[in-house]
Amino acid sequence: MEDEGDGGVFGTPDAPDDDSTSGERVHALVAQGRFAEAHAVVGDAFVERNGSAGYLLRAWVLAQERRAAEAREAVDWALALAGPAEAADVFVLAGVVLLSLDEVHDALIVALRAGGADPDGWEPAVLLSDVYRRLGRVPDAVAAARRAVELAPREAEAQVALARSLSAGRGLLGRIPRRLRAEHRGAVERSLLLGADPGQLQAPRAGILTGGVAVAVLWAIQLYRIETGDDWQFVAAGAVLLVTALLLVALVRLHSRRTGTGAVARMRGIRATVRTELAADDRLWRLRAAHVGAVIPVAPLLTTGLVADRAWRRELWPLWAAVPVTVAGAAGVALALVGVHWWYGPEFTRRVFLFSWFGRLQIVVPAVLLGAGLAGAVAGAATRATWRDLAIAHAGWLAAMWAVAGTASFQARRAV
């Protein structure tokens, strides 16, 4: 469903005879970079004749032209005009355009509506598989793709969706799990026999992953400088971290201006989708709770954990650095709790932090670690063994929570 080069994707059975080949002509013009001529085909008269399908073809042209705000407006008009008889087709086409605009959570809403309008349709199932895969929900992507293949085993797009979703489940070494290899190989072979382009069979990697890894490596280097350097290294590394954070903020603002959608509005839309998913999927709720538990221990480790580790090596941080760093750790934990409440909602927050012993530990243990680290730094009289135990406790708590999150993720992947 994500291959925008398929000339028949935007065809519509309700179009008049003189519009029957418009989709193919527009795709050919866009492929040649002739956007002005493509817009001439999907002009106001064409849109008026074809309604939602016309708006969606125009939206697709705008999306390929990198005019995201106008493309999104056209999609909204298409959805507003959609009638019951054409709802499934319109939702599928709208989802394809939204995916090309990287509006993945909005595409999920549209894909679910498409499935509701046509429960036995293979195209909504393919779209849902593509969306789930882009969201990193590989088991759900595989389940949707299998449903599409069951409904339409002779459709190349359904086989491609299955191959892509199975490919997205590769492990750390880049290998598909053994129990899924035969199914993946079969889906690839069938899709090629049905005429699929081999380039479609590899699940695309998001550029944000590479950027995120680069930022993580840069920040890790600065933390290493803080951990091993002298007092001036604290200042230099802190400056680099601050500048990097400011650059990230600037990039977010630039993206907001380019797409026409503010960062706050975009986040609120994604948040609404996430909360809706949680309300309908208890398995997903447990998985997100485990992931939250893996994030909170990072703040103590990168603050009082570093203080304890250096003191263990007889390099006690100066008090002027240890106190604000500890405060930053406490602020990080508090920000994480507030962020969980804002993102997942009050019901999720109560269930995670108040109604389970695992959740209560997420508050008590970080508070103990931060308090012990600050007390040792202020007193300055803790023994080396005490600092060692405190450093190991910081690292051990993080490792334990990551193990819980990793186990939950592994179990989710085994559900494929």
Side-chain angles (χ1 to χ4, degrees):
M1 296 300 286
E2 290 184 38
D3 180 22
E4 290 111 13
D6 184 355
V9 167
F10 287 94
T12 170
D14 299 327
D17 292 340
D18 58 338
D19 290 336
S20 60
T21 61
S22 294
E24 296 179 5
R25 286 189 289 130
V26 167
H27 278 76
L29 291 170
V30 169
Q32 300 170 36
R34 297 158 63 182
F35 292 107
E37 296 175 58
H39 281 297
V41 176
V42 293
D44 291 341
F46 175 88
V47 171
E48 184 176 353
R49 289 195 303 272
N50 292 274
S52 295
Y55 269 113
L56 288 170
L57 185 57
R58 173 184 286 180
W60 183 82
V61 175
L62 292 167
Q64 303 310 301
E65 204 175 1
R66 306 298 183 187
R67 294 163 62 179
E70 295 170 80
R72 181 55 197 265
E73 182 181 4
V75 171
D76 290 342
W77 274 108
L79 295 176
L81 294 174
E86 60 179 346
D89 289 339
V90 167
F91 290 145
V92 169
L93 303 182
V96 172
V97 177
L98 288 170
L99 279 179
S100 71
L101 295 173
D102 201 28
E103 299 281 354
V104 187
H105 284 83
D106 288 340
L108 174 59
I109 297 175
V110 171
L112 293 173
R113 294 177 68 183
D118 186 8
D120 295 325
W122 66 270
E123 290 176 307
V126 169
L127 173 62
L128 192 60
S129 176
D130 288 337
V131 173
Y132 277 142
R133 177 171 51 78
R134 290 276 293 272
L135 289 170
R137 294 175 55 177
V138 177
D140 294 322
V142 173
R146 285 171 175 163
R147 172 67 174 163
V149 169
E150 178 185 348
L151 292 169
R154 302 293 301 171
E155 290 290 343
E157 284 188 78
Q159 299 291 347
V160 167
L162 181 58
R164 279 183 156 191
S165 60
L166 292 169
S167 178
R170 296 177 184 272
L172 293 176
L173 299 179
R175 295 177 62 83
I176 296 174
R178 185 182 302 274
R179 68 185 184 282
L180 302 177
R181 290 174 192 168
E183 184 180 12
H184 176 263
R185 183 168 56 252
V188 169
E189 293 173 353
R190 287 189 294 272
S191 61
L192 292 176
L193 287 174
L194 292 170
D197 183 348
Q200 295 178 277
L201 297 174
Q202 179 62 43
R205 303 288 181 177
I208 191 173
L209 178 61
T210 303
V213 170
V215 172
V217 170
L218 175 63
W219 282 26
I221 292 172
Q222 305 313 313
L223 291 172
Y224 177 78
R225 293 175 63 190
I226 292 175
E227 171 69 3
T228 60
D230 56 19
D231 292 356
W232 287 109
Q233 290 279 38
F234 297 164
V235 178
V240 172
L241 294 175
L242 178 61
V243 170
T244 308
L246 293 176
L247 286 175
L248 292 175
V249 172
L251 287 174
V252 170
R253 292 175 62 88
L254 178 63
H255 182 267
S256 298
R257 287 197 295 268
R258 181 175 63 83
T259 61
T261 304
V264 174
R266 183 182 178 87
M267 293 296 287
R268 285 175 176 168
I270 296 173
R271 180 185 65 178
T273 306
V274 168
R275 291 186 179 185
T276 302
E277 292 179 82
L278 286 175
D281 190 342
D282 194 60
R283 175 182 59 84
L284 183 61
W285 179 91
R286 291 192 298 271
L287 182 62
R288 293 293 178 259
H291 289 170
V292 167
V295 171
I296 293 178
V298 174
L301 181 73
L302 298 183
T303 52
T304 51
L306 295 182
V307 173
D309 184 65
R310 286 198 59 145
W312 177 16
R313 294 185 285 108
R314 302 183 188 279
E315 298 176 6
L316 185 63
W317 279 38
L319 196 58
W320 62 264
V323 172
V325 162
T326 304
V327 172
V333 173
L335 184 61
L337 298 177
V338 172
V340 168
H341 184 275
W342 181 81
W343 187 253
Y344 292 113
E347 180 61 26
F348 180 88
T349 305
R350 284 193 294 269
R351 290 182 66 183
V352 169
F353 296 115
L354 298 181
F355 300 146
S356 72
W357 63 267
F358 178 79
R360 296 189 190 102
L361 287 177
Q362 305 305 318
I363 300 175
V364 174
V365 175
V368 171
L369 293 174
L370 290 166
L374 179 60
V378 172
T383 64
R384 187 182 180 193
T386 300
W387 285 117
R388 177 200 62 202
D389 294 342
L390 187 57
I392 293 174
H394 279 79
W397 176 243
L398 178 70
M401 294 301 98
W402 280 18
V404 171
T407 301
S409 298
F410 177 74
Q411 291 174 344
R413 295 171 75 90
R414 283 187 62 85
V416 174

